[in-house]
Amino acid sequence: MRVLVVAALALAAGCLETPAPRRAPSSLGWVRVEADTGELRALGRVPSLRVRFDDAVALPDDDDLVLLRGVVSDAVLGDLENLPLSPSTLARRLAVRVSVDPADSAVLRVEGRDALAPDADLTLLLSTRLRALRGAALERPIRAELRVASVTRCGALGTLAAVSELPTHP
């Protein structure tokens, strides 16, 4: 009988055990940035990038992923984390189209909208507000320095045809 009471108490204690507290999702891991050209220091005139994470990502808000002209300082990372963006940062911002890759939900596609000058330095910034679908966020802002290829690699934006004869006026 005593054994039965001890077993019943042990069983009741097991049933009354408090569930483990829910943990916040672990952080979202940033894996790498890939360029369609294969080289981050030789992008095409209209940049096309893939940002790869270790988990499926949600489509970011406008200020969570920013492509800027030039190389940026740590102060700009602070600007990204403490919105709104400053006028000087906004002036350097490039128009991009961002989408989740339909073939791989852990990849964001970043497509430039305008042609850039050869040898232009660019910086891609990712905010800690960028989230995985399960809620995890980047632990720290990410900065990736990029460059448009030289004119010998990416070609000219257009050609200029020479005029063989100039019209004369009487």
Side-chain angles (χ1 to χ4, degrees), residues 41-92:
R41 302 299 289 170
L43 300 177
R45 285 281 178 87
V46 180
S48 180
L49 305 166
R50 291 176 305 284
V51 184
R52 188 170 299 281
F53 298 90
D54 65 356
D55 199 359
V57 291
L59 189 62
D61 289 334
D62 284 346
D63 292 333
D64 295 346
L65 185 151
V66 180
L67 185 62
L68 299 174
R69 294 180 200 280
V71 177
V72 301
S73 67
D74 289 339
V76 176
L77 283 176
D79 191 24
L80 181 68
E81 292 302 302
N82 302 308
L83 293 176
L85 296 173
S86 70
S88 61
T89 300
L90 286 172
R92 298 171 62 184

Side-chain angles (χ1 to χ4, degrees), residues 2 6 17 19 34 36 71-72 84 95 111 114 145 148 152-154 159:
R2 202 177 233 182
V6 171
E17 185 177 315
E34 304 163 342
D36 282 356
V71 177
V72 301
E111 306 287 336
D114 301 313
E145 294 181 358
V148 176
T152 57
R153 285 199 62 186
C154 64
T159 57

Side-chain angles (χ1 to χ4, degrees), residues 2-51:
R2 202 177 233 182
V3 172
L4 226 75
V5 171
V6 171
L9 287 173
L11 181 62
C15 292
L16 297 176
E17 185 177 315
T18 57
R22 284 189 157 205
R23 292 184 344 194
S26 61
S27 63
L28 174 63
W30 172 71
V31 178
R32 68 181 168 271
V33 176
E34 304 163 342
D36 282 356
T37 61
E39 295 180 52
L40 297 179
R41 302 299 289 170
L43 300 177
R45 285 281 178 87
V46 180
S48 180
L49 305 166
R50 291 176 305 284
V51 184

